[in-house]
């Protein structure tokens, strides 16, 4: 037997219903842990888009710098060489690894988005295609990262 | 209704004065679950705040039942919208454990009742009070796509506009919308760009664009072929996953995109 609304106990009115009338009646007040609300719990589709935008914007800024430094060769080959030489250090080497990782994900996921838009059953298979993208990306990185890191850190 | 249950319930929530009465009626198999609700009362709160409520529920209860129990037995000021309580009016979309759901279609047993359940208002629409948001921007976009049958010609035969089952099937999926706004307010593009028409408006445009009795498909396609129209869609699929009617929203949006590009199939 559940309660009928007519049998409900009337809540004891609180004496001090001043500032926050609701919180005093009942329940513990938790301090606003996350006043801004929770992060929306999107799934593969949302997170792949977040990564796609981050990598896309990242690649864009890299390309901007890259076009500038390459254009330098027309101004002065010596200056070009000087700039390129400053890239030859481990920090830049790790940066290159990140760049390849970003382009790899962005390119593969870009193909996934094209399939979502133009393949008739693309929307029904977007989640599977996301995990295929991740698998291909891991294979790509496994092929690239070890050799690249060997170069960067001086082994033959 | 053993003493054990009563004691367990009382140790769990010792400060509850009304609990003894409630527990005597506790149905077998019921348990106490904590709902953490994001409250906001514009008259008294500067900022929204989280408030905990312990409610005795059955696994087959819905979040809406828990909200009712809180409102009726613990705190009458808790504010939310609901009308039908059976998933058809679209009044009670809210964010439950971080995802947009209808409170009346979300069973406690489908969440993890051993953990607190977070309930908050839809994101991206102006917060009015507790779980109630201002739906006007949502309906404004809906109205703009002209979501009604436009047919000015005399029907063939002069009496009625017949439609073949195949032609009806073409837009069947998008007829199911109940305008709950779960989709539009799950869309990251809509959160940051309130001008975006949003999935629900596109779904309801699709409903008439692909209806062969309608004569204004091109008008709607022109409306949606806009900077704030279908091209804003980034295929995050949040809308499709949020829709309580299981509408394949991203697919509908893609079909509208293609109808703009290459014309209606
Ligand atoms: C490897 C070849 C590439 C492919 C296949 C590709 C594919 C795509 C696709 C299909 C989109 C649309 C995403 C959507 O509709 O949500 C996109 C977005 C984007 N791409 Fe690429 N892209 C590539 C290379 C690049 C490069 C080199 C840059 C940087 C200059 C770049 C920067 C961006 C940016 C900033 C976006 C916007 C992301 C967003 O709106 O969320 N992409 N890319
Ligand atoms: S498409 Fe689905 S989620 Fe969007 S308003 Fe309609 S019923 Fe709600
Ligand atoms: S109350 Fe009508 S849809 Fe939930």
């Amino acid at each position: 037997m559940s309660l009928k609304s007519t049998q409900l106990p009337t809540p004891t009115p609180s004496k001090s219903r001043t500032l926050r009338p609701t919180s005093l009646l009942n329940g513990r007040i938790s301090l606003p842990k996350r006043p801004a609300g929770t992060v929306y719990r999107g799934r593969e589709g949302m997170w792949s888009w977040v990564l796609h935008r981050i990598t896309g914007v990242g690649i864009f800024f890299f390309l901007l710098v890259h076009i500038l430094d390459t254009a330098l060769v027309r101004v002065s080959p010596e200056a070009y060489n000087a700039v390129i030489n400053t890239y030859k250090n481990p920090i830049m080497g790790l940066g290159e690894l990140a760049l390849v990782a970003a382009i790899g994900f962005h390119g593969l996921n870009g193909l996934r988005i094209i399939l979502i838009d133009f393949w008739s059953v693309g929307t029904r298979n977007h989640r599977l295609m996301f995990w295929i993208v991740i698998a291909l990306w891991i294979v790509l990185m496994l092929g690239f990262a070890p050799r690249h890191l060997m170069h960067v850190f001086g082994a033959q | 209704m053993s003493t054990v249950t009563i004691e367990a319930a009382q140790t769990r929530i010792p400060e509850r004065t009304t609990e003894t009465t409630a527990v005597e009626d506790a149905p077998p198999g019921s348990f106490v679950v904590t709902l953490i609700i994001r409250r906001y009362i514009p008259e008294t709160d500067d900022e929204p705040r989280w408030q905990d409520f312990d409610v005795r529920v059955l696994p087959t209860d819905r979040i809406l039942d828990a909200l009712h129990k809180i409102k009726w037995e613990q705190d009458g000021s808790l504010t939310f919208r609901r009308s039908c309580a059976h998933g058809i009016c679209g009044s009670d979309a809210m964010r439950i454990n971080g995802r947009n759901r209808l409170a009346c279609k979300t069973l406690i047993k489908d969440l993890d009742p051993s953990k607190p359940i977070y309930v908050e208002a839809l994101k991206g629409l102006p917060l009015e009070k507790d779980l109630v948001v201002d739906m006007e921007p949502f309906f404004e976009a809906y109205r703009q796509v002209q979501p009604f049958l436009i047919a000015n010609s005399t029907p063939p035969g002069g009496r009625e506009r017949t439609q073949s089952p195949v032609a009806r099937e073409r837009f069947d999926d998008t007829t199911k919308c109940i305008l709950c706004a779960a989709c539009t307010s799950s869309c990251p593009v809509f959160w940051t760009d309130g001008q975006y028409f949003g999935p629900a408006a596109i779904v309801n445009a699709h409903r008439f664009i692909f209806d062969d009795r309608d004569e204004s498909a091109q008008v709607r396609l022109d409306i949606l072929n806009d900077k704030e129209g279908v091209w804003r869609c980034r295929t995050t699929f949040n809308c499709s996953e949020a829709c309580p009617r299981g509408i394949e929203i991203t697919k509908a949006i893609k079909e509208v995109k293609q109808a703009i590009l290459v014309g209606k199939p």
Side-chain angles (χ1 to χ4, degrees):
Chain A
M1 262 248 322
S2 60
L3 282 172
K4 288 200 185 115
S5 57
T6 45
Q7 304 168 337
L8 289 181
T10 36
T12 36
S14 165
K15 295 128 269 162
S16 48
R17 298 191 62 170
T18 46
L19 255 179
R20 291 181 168 171
T22 62
S23 54
L24 297 167
L25 275 180
N26 213 332
R28 296 163 309 210
I29 315 163
S30 44
L31 288 172
K33 289 168 211 146
R34 279 172 284 171
T38 61
V39 173
Y40 194 86
R41 282 180 49 216
R43 300 189 49 179
E44 289 89 338
M46 179 171 115
W47 295 113
S48 70
W49 164 74
V50 169
L51 274 177
H52 198 83
R53 176 158 291 184
I54 291 172
T55 54
V57 172
I59 303 165
F60 173 79
F61 281 109
F62 161 76
L63 263 187
L64 206 68
V65 176
H66 186 51
I67 289 170
L68 289 178
D69 65 25
T70 311
L72 203 59
V73 79
R74 304 272 299 173
V75 182
S76 136
E78 291 76 33
Y80 174 82
N81 280 338
V83 169
I84 294 299
N85 268 321
T86 63
Y87 292 171
K88 289 186 180 157
N89 66 60
I91 294 178
M92 276 300 179
L94 291 176
E96 280 163 356
L97 183 69
L99 180 68
V100 171
I103 295 178
F105 176 81
H106 189 93
L108 291 168
N109 192 55
L111 298 177
R112 167 180 164 271
I113 297 170
I114 293 170
L115 284 174
I116 288 173
D117 273 335
F118 291 101
W119 182 30
S120 59
V121 287
T123 52
R124 289 195 183 153
N125 295 301
H126 76 97
R127 204 167 288 143
L128 173 68
M129 291 197 292
F130 172 76
W131 290 112
I132 294 175
V133 163
I134 293 297
L136 291 175
W137 180 77
I138 289 173
V139 170
L140 184 90
M141 292 313 287
L142 284 180
F144 172 76
R147 299 209 80 203
H148 176 71
L149 290 177
M150 265 151 61
H151 279 290
V152 170
F153 293 103
Q156 273 314 300
Chain B
M1 269 146 285
S2 60
T3 16
V4 183
T5 336
I6 297 168
E7 272 164 19
Q10 281 174 340
T11 40
R12 181 88 199 275
I13 19 175
E15 71 269 51
R16 179 77 27 82
T17 44
T18 58
E19 185 61 21
T20 334
T21 7
V23 166
E24 262 152 30
D25 280 333
S30 66
F31 51 87
V32 172
V33 69
T34 304
L35 264 72
I36 305 185
I37 302 179
R38 192 163 180 248
R39 306 288 312 267
Y40 174 66
I41 296 177
E43 290 80 25
T44 52
D45 295 325
D46 299 327
E47 287 284 314
R49 63 203 155 81
W50 292 96
Q51 186 176 359
D52 297 15
F53 294 97
D54 289 333
V55 209
R56 180 160 285 280
V57 291
L58 287 168
T60 48
D61 276 344
R62 307 157 301 165
I63 292 297
L64 182 66
D65 299 311
L67 292 176
H68 276 151
K69 284 196 105 180
I70 293 169
K71 187 171 177 69
W72 295 339
E73 298 169 15
Q74 299 185 31
D75 184 345
S77 74
L78 180 68
T79 307
F80 52 93
R81 283 196 187 105
R82 73 102 176 83
S83 302
C84 69
H86 291 82
I88 206 61
C89 71
S91 304
D92 63 344
M94 54 189 73
R95 228 173 341 152
I96 297 168
N97 276 354
R99 290 184 174 142
N100 285 357
R101 295 284 180 265
L102 292 181
C104 64
K105 279 188 80 170
T106 307
L107 300 185
I108 303 281
K109 71 178 171 66
D110 294 337
L111 304 165
D112 178 359
S114 65
K115 294 212 198 90
I117 297 168
Y118 287 82
V119 182
E120 59 203 300
L122 294 176
K123 193 178 163 88
L125 290 164
L127 184 59
E128 292 208 320
K129 186 173 183 179
D130 288 351
L131 303 175
V132 174
V133 292
D134 179 6
M135 299 277 278
E136 190 45 34
F138 170 80
F139 284 120
E140 174 61 29
Y142 171 64
R143 282 194 293 270
Q144 278 178 17
V145 302
Q146 309 192 5
F148 37 81
L149 191 86
I150 303 173
N152 297 317
S153 62
T154 321
R159 289 181 63 112
E160 56 188 324
R161 291 170 207 280
T162 54
Q163 186 166 50
S164 73
V166 177
R168 174 62 176 73
E169 181 60 31
R170 181 67 194 83
F171 58 91
D172 186 64
D173 201 33
T174 46
T175 62
K176 297 186 291 194
C177 176
I178 56 173
L179 295 172
C180 65
C183 56
T184 295
S185 63
S186 77
C187 177
V189 178
F190 185 77
W191 298 333
T192 49
D193 172 11
Q195 295 301 108
Y196 172 42
F197 275 86
I202 303 172
V203 159
N204 287 280
H206 180 283
R207 151 77 185 80
F208 291 100
I209 289 169
F210 292 94
D211 186 334
D212 67 348
R213 299 165 299 181
D214 187 272
E215 287 158 11
S216 267
Q218 197 53 50
V219 174
R220 297 192 191 91
L221 291 177
D222 289 343
I223 293 170
L224 290 174
N225 186 13
D226 182 90
K227 188 163 73 69
E228 304 292 350
V230 283
W231 308 116
R232 273 273 180 274
C233 170
R234 298 258 77 85
T235 60
T236 72
F237 288 87
N238 278 11
C239 55
S240 304
E241 277 150 16
C243 180
R245 308 286 302 172
I247 301 173
E248 290 181 86
I249 304 177
T250 315
K251 182 160 173 279
I253 297 176
K254 153 212 183 134
E255 286 170 2
V256 175
K257 284 177 182 167
Q258 273 174 4
I260 290 173
L261 284 181
V262 297
K264 264 199 317 169

